[in-house]
Each structure stands twice: as C-alpha cells, then as structure tokens.
Amino acid sequence: MARAQTRVGGALRRLAGTKTYTRGVHLFPVGLRKRPGSGVRVIFMLMVWLGPRIAFQNKVAAELSEAGLVWLKSASPQEAMMRISLCLELAREGGSLDKLYNFAECAGLQLILGLNALHRNPDNSWNSSSSLSLLKYSAGKKYNISWELGNEPNAYRGMVGRSVNSSQLAQDYAVLRTLLQSVRYYHRAQLYGPNAGRPRKNAILLLDTFMKSAGSAVDAVTWQHYYMDGRVKKVEDFLKTRLLDTLSEQINKVFKVVNAHAPGKKVWLGGVGPAWAGGTNNLSDTYAAGFLWLNTLGMAAVQGIDVVLRHSLFDYGYTRLVDQHFSPLPDYWLSLVFKRLVGPRVLAVRVAGLQRKPRPGRVIRDKLRIYAHCTSFSNHNYVRGSITIYIINLHRSRKKIKLAGTLRNKTVHQYLLQPYGADGLHAKYIQLNGEKLLMLDNGTLPELKPVSLRAGRTVVMPPMSIGFYVIKNINAYACRR
C-alpha cells in the first residue's frame, strides 16, 4: 500500500468494453463482458460412506476407489445445516444408495454420483457393467442424479498403482455418455469431468487430450485446486499472497485448454481446499483458512468459473464446514454471509493505491484484496441496484478505505468477520461485528445483523480481517436487472 488510506469509487456503467475512470475505482459488470449472468455458484460436498450392500456397484466414486465414496453436492448451506440431522434419521430404510438418495432429497441437495473409473477390462478399457446396472436401478426409482467418472485421473498411478491415459479416459467418457442416452430416464442427465487434479504438466496434458476427443461429452469441465501440501504446519503459509495468486494462474491455464477445443464450455472448479490429503489439523478448519476460501470465490467469479465445489460439508478431513456435532466452523459462516449478500453478477474493481506499477522483474501481490458484485437479488433486505464489496485484509495493521465518487454519499451496511477468542487466527469460532456467531438451536441460524455506516464514513478494516460492505440504494444500472 502506498498510502494508509485507499479510495474506492467511481461511476457504474453497463457498457461493456468502455472504461471511463473517475477518482479511484470504476466498477463495471465483468460477467456481461464474458457471459450473460456469469458469476460463481458455491456448492458444498458431503462425503458419505457407502456400505457393501450395493452388490452391483463394488466401488462407487473413484477418489479412493476401494472406499466407496460418493459426492453429495449442495448449493444451500443453511438448508443442509438445518435439516441434516432430521434427514439422517429419515434415510434409514433401503439399501445404501436408497439411503443416500433419500437423505439428499430430504435435505434439498443435488446428488452428483462419481462412478468408479478403475473397474477395468483386461485391455484397460472401462468396465461399465456395474455402472449400467446402477443406472437402470436408479432410473427405476426415478432418482434425479448427475454423474461423474473418476476423480483426479492424472493421479491414479500414485494413488492405486495403475494408470488410465487421457485417450482412454476420453473413450470412457464417450461410453458413459452413450450409456446415459441408452437409459431413457437419464438420456438428458448432466455429466461432468474429467475432474483432473491441479493443472500442472501431467494434468494439463491429460485435459488437453480429453477436451480434444471428449469435450462434447461433458456438460461442464471439472478440475481441482489445492493450495498447498497437507503437511504444512504454519499459519503463516495461509497468508502468503503468492499462494493466493496460484489459483488465478491455474484458472488461466485451464481456460486456455478448454477454449482451444470447446469455446464457451462451462468450467467448474470441481474441488478446492486449503491443502490436499484432507487438509491440515487446526489450520484448515480455522479462521485462517477463510482468507484462502474467500479469495477463491472472488477470483473464480472474476475469471468466469461457473461453479465452485467445496470439500466438504462434514465428516471428512479438516476442510469440513461443520464439526462432529454439526456446529458451524468459520468457513461455514463465511460461506453463509457470502451467499446471503453476494449475487452472481461480477463488477470489476480499480483501487487507487493498489494498481501501481511494479519495478522491473517484480509482481505486486496485494495484501488488501477487494472484490465487488451486485447484491444478491434473493436478499429482500436490499433493493435491486445495491452493490456488495468484500475485502480481505492480510496486513498486520488496520487499513482505511474511502468510498469515493458515486459511492461516497450512500449508506453502507458492514458485516465484519474476525476470529473470536484468544486463539486468534487458529480460532474455530468467528464473530460478526463483535458478536460471536452460534446456532440458536439445532435447526436455527442466528440473524446476521449489519452495522450501519453513515454516508461518507471511511471503512476501517482491522488487521487480518474479512469484511462485506453493502452499498444500499445506489441504483446501479448494471445491478438493476
């Protein structure tokens, strides 16, 4: 930061391409320049163990093919939290798949079932017999399921000692698409893939060949990003700006490959977390991980990712959103505030004091990160045309942000998130505007109350904090419809 105080402001225009800047910052709808309505939807994964009772599906889901894992993906964290215990009680009848689907339907979750890609014939082609049996069984029950095949196929050799090359994987997806079309109930079912790992050399080569041969077979391209090794032990590693920026670099790599073979194809971030191998105990489930999580949502939205799939809702590793008692952890509250306030239409941000030229050979990596969206239309506390700005302050000192231009004379609602208690960044509790966030009971979320800042007041971000700021009644043209 060149100055202790940063100015944010400027005009709002819907006109794509033309950027006329005033003092500080100009906000314009990035999503309209790329794709109408482009933004990011946040979906949460629930990892559920399937028992051995599905005889025709030996190893469902290929993250750990022997374990029989299934992805359960929900776009609504509050509904999942409020109904999860009840639905677990109700979903006790029938076989393992029936229990799983009954639970998903009760909780209002979308079920995406990952089929085992490692069930192979002697020639290494995919053995689809058990999957076809599963499709027919599910169709007979009229189960509304979307599908994937495998998980991180570029890592199979290291995980299970055998490999599936990209050409074979593309053929396998073509076979699965044909199977779905052969079962009338699923002839229009959604298919996602290839769910490649972090796009380094091997994964990029796999994705390139897959897209060339089977890009038309999938409805969205999926891939995964984990910021660091699960063996990382220091909280300081969660705060490195270089680490936060790796996601942007990986998104660019993926889009370059996808657009070369299937321009306009939707891209999903099919798995994301602070660290792989289940995360890091007392780090991935603490307040510190929230910086990576919110940065992921902001970067993904700006760069055109349609869906972010989060590991996981509960029960697996240390990146879960709730603990073993279903009490929300910090990233759950962060996700809830995000979904309540942030709409899918993305606005570009230019901030005086941040967009300075780096010295030759250096890259400026900002510790004050600012993103802007139209406020969610589903939040009836705010009229259409309102704007939500969310800010990550990684500095160990407070920072002042001045809303300038057309933003200056509007009332602002502040939702400031900080760790609660003496554990600091290691805290597993979070406070909103100074009040500890807790469930009121097993099924009731607390009211998320903002603090109203008078028009013209400087926004003050405490050190190592996260803030959401809703600019009310600004009647921004880009956010009115």
Side-chain angles (χ1 to χ4, degrees):
M1 291 289 297
R3 292 173 288 179
Q5 179 166 292
T6 299
R7 292 198 308 264
V8 180
L12 285 154
R13 300 183 63 184
R14 192 184 180 92
L15 186 61
T18 302
K19 294 177 279 187
T20 306
Y21 298 104
T22 60
R23 298 176 60 202
V25 70
H26 177 79
L27 302 177
F28 63 95
V30 170
L32 291 177
R33 296 192 304 130
K34 291 184 176 180
R35 182 183 303 126
S38 176
V40 61
R41 288 184 290 142
V42 188
I43 296 179
F44 302 94
M45 296 183 184
L46 168 63
M47 300 190 72
V48 181
W49 293 95
L50 278 185
R53 296 183 60 186
I54 304 179
F56 49 78
Q57 184 67 5
N58 296 329
K59 301 172 184 177
V60 179
E63 184 183 56
L64 297 172
S65 62
E66 292 82 8
L69 292 172
V70 182
W71 303 118
L72 195 63
K73 302 179 179 180
S74 167
S76 177
Q78 59 266 45
E79 289 183 10
M81 173 63 69
M82 294 173 65
R83 304 186 65 185
I84 199 168
S85 296
L86 172 62
C87 294
L88 285 171
E89 291 295 323
L90 293 177
R92 293 187 180 276
E93 300 299 324
S96 297
L97 178 60
D98 302 312
K99 292 177 181 179
L100 178 61
Y101 188 81
N102 290 339
F103 169 78
E105 186 176 45
C106 172
L109 308 177
Q110 176 190 1
L111 181 61
I112 302 176
L113 199 61
L115 299 172
N116 177 23
L118 292 175
H119 191 193
R120 294 274 141 187
N121 295 314
D123 63 356
N124 206 35
S125 63
W126 180 49
N127 187 327
S128 61
S129 57
S130 60
S131 295
L132 180 58
S133 299
L134 177 62
L135 288 172
K136 291 179 177 178
Y137 177 83
S138 303
K141 295 282 190 174
K142 296 190 178 335
Y143 288 163
N144 182 20
I145 299 174
S146 298
W147 306 89
E148 286 180 327
L149 178 62
N151 184 68
E152 294 192 67
N154 53 293
Y156 287 165
R157 181 178 294 278
M159 292 168 61
V160 295
R162 63 185 305 178
S163 62
V164 178
N165 65 41
S166 53
S167 297
Q168 183 61 60
L169 184 67
Q171 294 177 36
D172 299 339
Y173 263 84
V175 169
L176 178 52
R177 174 56 79 184
T178 301
L179 286 183
L180 291 172
Q181 292 172 343
S182 71
V183 179
R184 185 173 182 179
Y185 188 75
Y186 291 123
H187 77 285
R188 293 185 178 178
Q190 298 289 293
L191 175 62
Y192 310 117
N195 217 12
R198 187 177 178 183
R200 291 178 287 190
K201 184 176 180 180
N202 290 340
I204 283 292
L205 290 174
L206 180 144
L207 181 61
D208 184 70
T209 303
F210 177 87
M211 290 302 301
K212 182 178 180 179
S213 303
S216 60
V218 294
D219 295 286
V221 178
T222 55
W223 60 288
Q224 301 187 25
H225 178 79
Y226 299 93
Y227 284 93
M228 66 188 89
D229 193 312
R231 295 171 293 182
V232 169
K233 301 297 182 183
K234 298 185 298 182
V235 70
E236 290 77 11
D237 291 318
F238 281 61
L239 312 177
K240 294 178 179 178
T241 55
R242 176 66 184 87
L243 184 70
L244 271 64
D245 289 340
T246 57
L247 175 61
S248 178
E249 298 162 6
Q250 306 296 352
I251 291 174
N252 288 334
K253 291 180 182 179
V254 171
F255 268 112
K256 183 178 180 179
V257 172
V258 172
N259 289 332
H261 300 290
K265 177 73 71 173
K266 292 181 178 179
V267 176
W268 290 15
L269 189 50
V272 65
W276 59 81
T280 304
N281 190 23
N282 290 322
L283 281 177
S284 299
D285 51 357
T286 67
Y287 175 83
F291 298 121
L292 292 173
W293 177 223
L294 188 60
N295 186 72
T296 298
L297 298 178
M299 278 190 172
V302 167
Q303 295 187 242
I305 297 291
D306 286 277
V307 172
V308 173
L309 304 176
R310 164 65 190 254
H311 289 222
S312 56
L313 182 59
F314 74 93
D315 196 42
Y316 176 74
Y318 303 108
T319 59
R320 57 188 181 268
L321 294 176
V322 300
D323 65 17
Q324 64 271 28
H325 305 295
F326 299 108
S327 296
L329 292 166
D331 274 7
Y332 178 91
W333 295 115
L334 180 58
S335 304
L336 181 61
V337 175
F338 183 93
K339 290 186 73 69
R340 291 274 180 90
L341 301 179
V342 178
R345 184 163 295 169
V346 184
L347 305 173
V349 181
R350 298 290 184 269
V351 184
L354 290 183
Q355 276 71 31
R356 60 195 186 279
K357 292 183 179 180
R359 283 179 283 175
R362 297 194 61 188
V363 177
I364 294 296
R365 304 195 182 280
D366 294 318
K367 290 190 174 183
L368 188 67
R369 294 172 178 244
I370 303 177
Y371 300 97
H373 291 233
C374 299
T375 302
S376 174
F377 289 169
S378 62
N379 191 324
H380 300 301
N381 293 321
Y382 301 107
V383 299
R384 293 196 177 198
S386 299
I387 296 172
T388 298
I389 297 174
Y390 50 105
I391 305 171
I392 303 169
N393 181 19
L394 293 171
H395 290 276
R396 296 190 179 274
S397 59
R398 71 174 189 170
K399 294 297 173 182
K400 296 180 180 180
I401 299 149
K402 183 70 174 178
L403 300 179
T406 57
L407 310 180
R408 181 190 308 161
N409 298 319
K410 301 297 179 181
T411 301
V412 176
H413 276 181
Q414 172 184 272
Y415 299 80
L416 181 64
L417 296 169
Q418 296 175 272
Y420 180 86
D423 292 330
L425 296 176
H426 288 90
K428 295 189 177 181
Y429 293 96
I430 198 169
Q431 56 181 318
L432 173 65
N433 294 325
E435 296 291 332
K436 183 180 181 182
L437 287 174
L438 291 170
M439 296 286 287
L440 301 182
D441 54 48
N442 288 336
T444 307
L445 292 164
E447 182 181 357
L448 303 179
K449 297 180 180 179
V451 169
S452 184
L453 307 181
R454 70 177 183 273
R457 179 176 171 181
T458 298
V459 171
V460 179
M461 288 289 295
M464 315 301 287
S465 64
I466 293 170
F468 292 79
Y469 298 89
V470 180
I471 304 170
K472 299 179 58 182
N473 305 322
I474 192 171
N475 198 29
Y477 180 77
C479 299
R480 291 206 302 261
R481 55 180 180 177

